[in-house]
């Protein structure tokens, strides 16, 4: 599988694409996937799209705080998540809703997190993920550390870390890649290059021709993939995981995609990009592309799509019901969970808060 990285060496100005915008598959590059698994890919992507739209609706209704949409980035999230092994770990930023739910995090946890309830960050046993990271790029260092620890313990675990193109402007990105290369850590860096860091276009973040080529400077392989092509994303991630598990060290994957929505619900993209640009990218929608392929192969039909959408809507509504049934956080929660034993300074602050604003008993305390 390492041939994939030689063939698509980022210095050759090539990008891995297996499924084109018309739903035509490159059979020579197609990964080995049973036909029955590919329709499931579409089910998951439809679920993510329904969950994403519901979150936007909840935010507009005042039932959720600021939310970061994944609209348009479903292929890289699903393709990469599906390529991981059961014992592998991943470190998300704040936009990886689909990676999280595919890897086992309940959707209600995702909603709770964006509702401002830290209970959403309590990861269930057996779900190998770290909590969402809002600071841009800081999770890269954590992931490299975890991967190095796995290597020292001689465990065949590979770690994936997700970030956007904006994170590649941060020092954490360069420090993480540098030590991953030196330590030959089993880590896969997955950059979702959605073209904008909030309002800053990629051309104002780097003078490099690609993000993938930055791996070369750190002594390991990089690859540029069509981030709206779920097959290319799966193939590149699978190859990177297989290589890391065999002791081949890290890989940087640059998934070239597009953020069809706003950066977050607090952003207005109309201030810095034209509708024509959005419409151009909308023609490369990862769901439309996959659906064209599946219909052409007669692996799905209208009934399949209708049932999948209905199932997705039902799961989303159930997750909302579960999230909204959870008790809101209590003010004392601000002082808890950071330390095993609360320091005296925090105890004093908590006492002052309680004195000024008599509180009901914190049932979770």
């Amino acid at each position: 599988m390492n041939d994939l990285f030689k063939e698509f060496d980022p210095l050759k100005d090539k990008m891995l694409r297996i499924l084109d915008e018309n739903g035509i598959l490159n059979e020579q590059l197609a990964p080995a996937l049973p036909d029955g698994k590919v329709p499931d890919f579409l089910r998951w992507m439809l679920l993510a799209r329904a969950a994403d739209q519901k979150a936007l609706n909840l935010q507009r209704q005042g039932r959720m705080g600021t939310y970061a949409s994944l609209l348009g980035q479903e292929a890289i999230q699903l393709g990469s998540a599906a390529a991981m092994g059961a014992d592998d770990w991943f470190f998300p930023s704040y936009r990886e809703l689909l990676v999280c739910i595919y890897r086992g995090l309940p959707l209600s946890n995702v909603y709770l997190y964006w509702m401002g309830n830290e209970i959403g960050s309590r990861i269930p046993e057996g779900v190998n993920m770290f909590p969402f990271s809002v600071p841009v790029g800081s999770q890269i260092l954590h992931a490299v550390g975890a991967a190095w620890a796995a290597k020292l313990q001689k465990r065949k675990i590979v770690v994936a870390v997700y970030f956007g193109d904006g994170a590649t402007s941060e020092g954490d990105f360069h420090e993480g890649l540098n030590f991953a290369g030196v330590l030959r850590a089993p880590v896969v860096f997955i950059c979702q290059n959605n073209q904008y860091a909030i309002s800053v276009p990629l051309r104002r973040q780097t003078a490099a021709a690609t993000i993938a080529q930055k791996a070369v400077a750190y002594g390991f392989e990089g690859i540029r993939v069509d981030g709206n092509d779920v097959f290319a994303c799966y193939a590149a991630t699978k190859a990177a995981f297989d290589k890391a598990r065999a002791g081949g060290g890290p890989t940087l994957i640059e998934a070239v995609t597009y953020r069809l929505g706003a950066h977050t619900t607090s952003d207005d993209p109309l201030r810095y990009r034209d509708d024509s640009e959005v419409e151009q990218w909308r023609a490369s929608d990862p769901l439309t592309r996959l659906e064209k392929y599946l219909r052409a192969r007669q692996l799905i039909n209208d009934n399949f799509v209708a049932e999948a959408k209905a199932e997705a809507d039902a799961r989303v509504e159930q997750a909302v019901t579960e999230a909204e049934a959870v008790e809101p956080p209590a003010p004392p929660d601000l002082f808890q969970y950071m330390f095993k034993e609360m320091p005296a300074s925090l105890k004093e602050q908590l006492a002052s808060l309680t004195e000024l604003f008599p509180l009901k008993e914190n049932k979770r305390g």
Side-chain angles (χ1 to χ4, degrees):
M1 292 301 289
N2 289 349
D3 289 342
L4 193 65
F5 300 121
K6 292 184 175 65
E7 174 66 23
F8 291 91
D9 183 329
L11 297 182
K12 294 180 179 177
D13 193 26
K14 297 176 70 173
M15 182 168 70
L16 176 62
R17 171 180 284 182
I18 299 175
L19 185 67
D20 70 15
E21 293 170 354
N22 297 312
I24 305 300
L25 189 72
N26 183 331
E27 299 285 354
Q28 292 184 326
L29 293 174
L33 287 167
D35 281 348
K37 190 173 183 65
V38 184
D40 276 347
F41 280 1
L42 185 61
R43 285 183 189 275
W44 279 102
M45 292 162 79
L46 288 168
L47 172 60
R49 188 151 291 191
D52 189 69
Q53 184 59 54
K54 186 66 179 184
L56 293 168
N57 294 346
L58 292 171
Q59 196 279 334
R60 296 310 188 210
Q61 294 165 8
R63 296 159 66 187
M64 180 177 284
T66 300
Y67 173 71
S69 169
L70 84 158
L71 183 65
Q73 299 178 216
E74 294 89 349
I76 176 56
Q77 295 201 15
L78 179 63
S80 58
M84 296 180 200
D87 294 330
D88 296 327
W89 281 73
F90 74 98
F91 289 62
S93 63
Y94 44 78
R95 202 182 296 280
E96 281 75 44
L97 177 150
L98 180 47
V99 182
C100 293
I101 61 175
Y102 187 88
R103 297 287 296 172
L105 185 70
L107 178 58
S108 56
N109 277 53
V110 179
Y111 285 158
L112 276 169
Y113 175 82
W114 290 109
M115 288 173 179
N117 195 326
E118 290 296 335
I119 289 177
S121 294
R122 293 181 182 175
I123 311 301
E125 190 73 27
V127 179
N128 294 346
M129 66 170 281
F130 260 48
F132 299 102
S133 177
V134 171
V136 176
S138 61
Q139 74 277 17
I140 295 172
L141 297 174
H142 305 155
V144 173
W148 186 29
K151 181 178 180 179
L152 291 174
Q153 295 171 350
K154 302 186 184 306
R155 301 174 68 187
K156 294 295 183 182
I157 292 172
V158 181
V159 174
V161 57
Y162 292 85
F163 50 90
D165 44 294
T168 67
S169 300
E170 298 286 339
D172 289 352
F173 169 78
H174 299 281
E175 293 162 13
L177 267 67
N178 185 54
F179 278 100
V182 171
L183 301 168
R184 307 300 293 169
V187 57
V188 179
F189 301 97
I190 300 176
C191 175
Q192 297 178 77
N193 175 6
N194 65 18
Q195 311 302 320
Y196 287 92
I198 307 182
S199 60
V200 180
L202 183 66
R203 65 178 182 279
R204 290 179 57 192
Q205 294 185 67
T206 180
T210 70
I211 290 172
Q213 71 186 54
K214 295 176 187 286
V216 178
Y218 296 109
F220 55 87
E221 293 166 315
I223 187 169
R224 201 164 192 243
V225 305
D226 182 336
N228 287 359
D229 169 4
V230 71
F231 290 103
C233 296
Y234 176 88
T237 311
K238 181 71 164 52
F241 268 68
D242 289 348
K243 184 186 77 171
R245 210 180 310 280
T251 304
L252 170 60
I253 297 173
E254 177 191 0
V256 181
T257 181
Y258 191 78
R259 195 190 74 213
L260 289 172
H263 170 67
T264 68
T265 48
S266 298
D267 174 40
D268 179 6
L270 294 175
R271 292 176 177 269
Y272 54 84
R273 69 184 189 188
D274 296 330
D275 285 344
S276 60
E277 178 184 298
V278 180
E279 290 308 310
Q280 183 178 354
W281 277 92
R282 200 178 294 280
S284 185
D285 187 309
L287 274 71
T288 304
R289 189 185 303 195
L290 181 60
E291 186 175 337
K292 285 179 180 177
Y293 165 76
L294 290 169
R295 285 183 182 275
R297 290 280 314 278
Q298 297 185 334
L299 295 173
I300 65 168
N301 53 28
D302 289 346
N303 288 339
F304 175 94
V305 175
E307 290 175 4
K309 288 182 175 178
E311 290 173 8
D313 290 342
R315 286 188 62 177
V316 167
E317 291 303 325
Q318 179 63 30
V320 173
T321 299
E322 292 171 4
E324 292 189 327
V326 175
E327 183 183 4
D333 286 358
L334 291 169
F335 300 86
Q336 301 187 54
Y337 311 123
M338 178 62 74
F339 300 98
K340 182 178 180 180
E341 294 185 10
M342 191 180 297
S345 59
L346 288 186
K347 289 181 179 177
E348 291 177 7
Q349 293 177 40
L350 176 58
S352 297
L353 177 70
T354 306
E355 182 179 349
L356 289 171
F357 304 99
L359 306 170
K360 295 179 180 178
E361 182 183 359
N362 179 18
K363 296 179 180 178
R364 292 187 300 279

